[in-house]
Amino acid sequence: MITLSNVRKSYNSEVSIGPVDLQIPAGGITALVGPNGAGKSTLLTMIGRLLGLDEGTIEIGGYDVTTTKSKDLAKIVSILRQENHYVTRLTVRQLVGFGRFPYSKGRLTVADEEVISRYIDFLDLRALENRYLDQLSGGQRQRAYVAMVLCQETDYVLLDEPLNNLDMRHSVQMMQHLHKAARELGRTIIIVLHDINFACHYGDRICAVKDGRIAEFGTPEEIMTDDLLTRVFETPVECINGPRGRLACFY
Amino acid sequence: MLEPTVSSPGITPAAAAGDPAPRRGAGAFPTRRARRRYILILGVLALAAVAFAFGLLAWKNPMPVGSAGFWRIAELRVTNVTVMAIVAFCQAMATVSFQTVTNNRIITPSIMGFESLYVAVQTSTVYFLGATGLVAFAGTQQFLLQVALMVGFALVLYGWLLSGKYGNMQVMLLVGIIIGGGLGSVSTFMQRLLTPSEFDLLSARLFGSVTNADASYLPYAIPICLAAGGALWLNARRLNLVSLGRDSTVNLGLNHRFETIKVLFFVSILMAISTALVGPMTFLGFLVATLAYQFADTYDHRLVFPMAFLTGFVVLTGAYFVMNHIFYAQGVVSIIIELVGGSVFLYVILRKGRL
Amino acid sequence: MTPGSTALAEPAPPAGRKLFNWKLLLGVIGVAGLLGLSLLTGVYDVFGADDGDQMFAITRIPRTVALVLAGAAMAMSGLVMQLLTQNRFVEPTTTGTTEWAGLGLLLVLIVFPSASIMERMAGAIIAAFVGTMVFFLFLRRVSLRSSLIVPIVGIMLGAVVGSVSTFIALQTDMLQSLGVWFAGSFTSVLRGQYEVLWIVALVAVAVFLVADRLTVAGLGEDIATNVGLNYNRIILLGTGLIAVATGVVTVVVGNLPFLGLIVPNIVSMFRGDDLRSNLPWVCLLGIAIVTVCDLIARTLIMPFEIPVSVILGIIGAVVFIYLLLRQRRRA
């Protein structure tokens, strides 16, 4: 379980977060949605301890992120941000291998290599594993990054807009992979999404963020109502029943 | 690339041929071919290093090789070759590590005020103490004093600009460069007021040259270098991770700020030794690191470091050998290296890329 | 929130904000006062001595005019560079332009030792133009994560060009003279030698006329083309203005470090980013800072003089560092 209590952060003059109190249960996929600048990514990076808090506490699985040693947290929670560019040239496999750093400290054992292979195969990257990242398409590269954070084998996985810049096919593939990771590997995945319909279909819980606070938190069924979405996104939304669940229409 | 199921044009399956089920590993090289290439280049560089070093020691040595007289003359030249090795070691280790922690492949630690400080110290010595002062201001004490000054300057800078809530690497770099520029303009002013003969004496010290070094510095320089270099070597695996940037480093459980400051501390020691030993060599480190990345083509610092060191040694000894014995223009060696390094810099910044 | 650049806010001229008002008038009076002080400062007793009025006309007036022209021109060319690159930390000293101008000057003097001042200037201007284009080319090819990388690379580029100059000067025994040329100083500004500096007045006027277009070009080729401007022509024009200002000032006066950087930044700190109404202030403040530095340079070790570039280098460095720390807090 991830617990945020009374979390505040004033991030330059425009964005300020909090106070946020939130409990995200373990297991499944929790989608963070909300308008631009609502503070979804800021919240996620604070949970992933990449950004400090001004006030309050965040606990992941009982460990306080500000006081627990970073190397111990690296075995509990992993985070992938939106922009990832490295000055070093790395192959897919080398990148995924870095996910083992918390365990191996850079000295990969045979067991580590097996784990790496497992996650490369899990994300269908086997044929690409010796390619350099700059030789991949955007969708393939995004899969490689996700493979790296999964390879970290943490119970909690935080992803900041992993569908950004992906086309429809790659977006669906990515969400299916994440769904599988949650179901088969028992990971708790917190993901920032822009598309409410993706959040509804693949999410087990949706957390709507607005103006730096939690506007709503609940199951997709609870969140997918006309009034609620219209209020959160400040644009008229109608929810209809599609062939596979609720759909939000906002065009 | 060598996955049997993938057929990529232009890639010969030679490397995989004798190995039907390619070993899957996330090591430093994706293929055996890359590993062979690395070993080959390293071998060629090692041979060149030995050849140039021997050339510098033995060329135009009037005594027959192996005789007692030969060794006596060679001994006199050993100091120079040793100094080249130290400078190559310092510049290579420092620049590679510095580029990794700053996450920037086009900067060199020497612009961070080390050289301006050196120039300012040398210039003000002449300015205030005169030519005799400069001559007297030699020996191990001044050497160690300069090293201490430079390291102290670097530590003050890091402590001021990298720690605290607003610690920012880019701001630290730029402030270092600007302070260096300010020191430079003060030095230039003092140089204007020198008599031409004083200036001539000074200008010999303002250009990097292995002849600036005194053999008596070596007993201090070598252990300090080895200690700082060894510390970086022990940090190599962490550096591999730091090269992925702050977010990935923190995510994978390292304290990014601590790692950065630790590495920068060792970098400042190495740069201080190199500068105090031979004077400014602004683009040698840049040249060496850029070439080493091309040669090594791996993320693993434990493999980049030796490549960079050997490259630096070959560049220095090669340049001195060619300039000493072919063009008879020893005085301009460092400037030639600077010009080549500068041209490589121009080429690198005009390539498409991301910084 | 992409960390692309510390973009100068697009000039949104608020309706009715006049170019001239009483504050500007006060500013003009203040600068005029400084210039008057500059006219009256010096070792020679221009009022007592017999040939005082002659000396006044030969040295004091030219020197003061040169302060006005050089100060305004360097401040303006800094502004032009900042508009074109949309980066606050760019100006001729942080892009290598000054070093290129010096290299051009050096080459002309080596090839034609008896070159006239016009020929020397031509060399400096051409080299400054080439150098600025190299820098712009770099900016167009590389995508940046931080706006602070730009001055870092620019200063390194300047160091490369500077080392080429040093090498050439060393080979031709001109090293110490090179230092003298590079150090900006108004000491040698005399009647009959400084008049070419009037060329830079044209640069200042031109900037007034094309400032808005430069801003649009700074937003990128796509946006400029979209609003119907010929991007490449504006870049060439802007580079030309910078090159002329830097080249002429380098030949006549020398290097004036950081002036183009600190002036536009201070002006926008106090007045916001309204480009059009800021222009006269940039001119005025440029003149004021150069004049104050020159006064300090003249009086500090009287009867000798310190090159103004040393004073400006120190003051400029301090202000630059202050600006950096200020941005760090906000970023």
Side-chain angles (χ1 to χ4, degrees), chain C residues 63 73 107 142 197 201 249 289:
Chain C
R63 183 171 191 146
L107 289 178
V142 174
L197 207 53
V249 171
I289 290 180

Side-chain angles (χ1 to χ4, degrees), chain B residues 16-145:
Chain B
D19 191 9
R23 186 189 55 91
R24 295 181 74 186
F29 300 106
T31 60
R32 281 162 177 254
R33 219 164 158 233
R35 177 187 304 273
R36 271 213 293 270
R37 174 176 172 272
Y38 176 89
I39 294 170
L40 187 72
I41 296 179
L42 198 71
V44 169
L45 281 176
L47 277 180
V50 171
F52 281 131
F54 183 76
L56 280 174
L57 295 177
W59 192 273
K60 297 267 168 73
N61 192 326
M63 305 308 240
V65 176
S67 70
F70 173 85
W71 288 116
R72 212 170 301 130
I73 291 174
E75 226 176 79
L76 297 173
R77 301 179 180 177
V78 164
T79 308
N80 277 354
V81 176
T82 314
V83 170
M84 287 179 212
I86 296 175
V87 171
F89 180 78
C90 288
Q91 296 273 350
M93 298 290 283
T95 310
V96 169
S97 311
F98 186 75
Q99 293 191 342
T100 294
V101 293
T102 54
N103 229 304
N104 188 328
R105 287 270 175 96
I106 59 163
I107 56 181
T108 142
S110 50
I111 53 166
M112 290 266 314
F114 295 110
E115 296 183 346
S116 329
L117 203 61
Y118 171 85
V119 171
V121 169
Q122 298 291 341
T123 307
S124 47
T125 310
V126 187
Y127 183 79
F128 291 112
L129 304 177
T132 46
L134 187 70
V135 176
F137 188 60
T140 47
Q141 273 165 356
Q142 72 92 22
F143 172 72
L144 293 175
L145 183 73

Side-chain angles (χ1 to χ4, degrees), chain B residues 102-104 106-108 111 160-163 166-168 170-171 173-175 177-179 182 185-186 188-189 191-196 199 203 207 282-283 286 331-332 335-336 338-339 342-343 345-346 349-355, chain C residues 89 100 134 137-138 140-146 148-149 151-153 155-157 159-160 163-164 166-167 170-171 175-176 179-180 183-185 258 301 305-307 309-310 313-314 316-318 320-321 324-325 327-331:
Chain B
T102 54
N103 229 304
N104 188 328
I106 59 163
I107 56 181
T108 142
I111 53 166
W160 173 32
L161 293 167
L162 282 184
S163 57
Y166 299 108
N168 181 320
Q170 261 98 29
V171 169
L173 292 177
L174 206 46
V175 170
I177 295 171
I178 295 163
I179 292 177
S185 70
V186 175
T188 315
F189 170 60
Q191 287 167 16
R192 266 180 87 154
L193 302 181
L194 299 178
T195 64
F199 184 78
S203 67
F207 295 100
T282 315
F283 290 98
F286 173 80
V332 296
I335 302 178
I336 298 282
E338 293 293 278
L339 290 183
S343 320
F345 175 76
L346 270 181
I349 67 167
L350 290 179
R351 242 177 6 183
K352 253 192 165 58
R354 197 187 152 81
L355 288 173
Chain C
F89 297 123
W100 283 96
V134 167
L137 203 62
F138 152 70
R140 280 176 75 173
R141 284 175 156 265
V142 174
S143 65
L144 298 157
R145 282 172 309 179
S146 160
L148 296 175
I149 298 286
I152 293 175
V153 173
I155 292 172
M156 279 185 67
L157 185 61
V160 172
S163 74
V164 175
T166 308
F167 173 64
L170 194 69
Q171 293 298 305
L175 198 56
Q176 207 169 5
V180 176
S185 165
F258 298 127
I301 52 166
E305 287 192 19
I306 302 170
S309 62
V310 174
I314 295 167
V318 172
F320 191 178
I321 291 172
L324 282 170
L325 298 181
Q327 132 135 1
R328 176 172 85 140
R329 240 154 249 274
R330 291 187 306 175

Side-chain angles (χ1 to χ4, degrees), chain C residues 19-41:
Chain C
L19 207 53
F20 299 100
N21 57 18
W22 62 272
K23 278 188 196 157
L24 189 65
L25 193 68
L26 276 185
V28 172
I29 294 171
V31 171
L34 280 174
L35 293 174
L37 199 60
S38 166
L39 284 174
L40 299 179
T41 305

Side-chain angles (χ1 to χ4, degrees), chain A residues 10-17 36-43 45 51 81-83 160-161 164 194, chain B residues 354, chain C residues 1-5 144-146 330-331:
Chain A
S10 52
Y11 202 56
N12 66 45
S13 51
E14 290 116 61
V15 189
S16 74
I17 303 284
N36 288 339
K40 308 178 290 286
S41 296
T42 310
L43 217 47
T45 37
L51 190 69
R81 294 193 76 170
Q82 258 185 71
E83 294 255 335
D160 192 357
E161 295 201 33
N164 211 2
H194 254 297
Chain B
R354 197 187 152 81
Chain C
M1 282 206 285
T2 48
S5 62
L144 298 157
R145 282 172 309 179
S146 160
R330 291 187 306 175

Side-chain angles (χ1 to χ4, degrees), chain C residues 214-226:
Chain C
L214 295 173
T215 315
V216 176
L219 299 178
E221 181 163 10
D222 297 342
I223 292 178
T225 312
N226 180 41

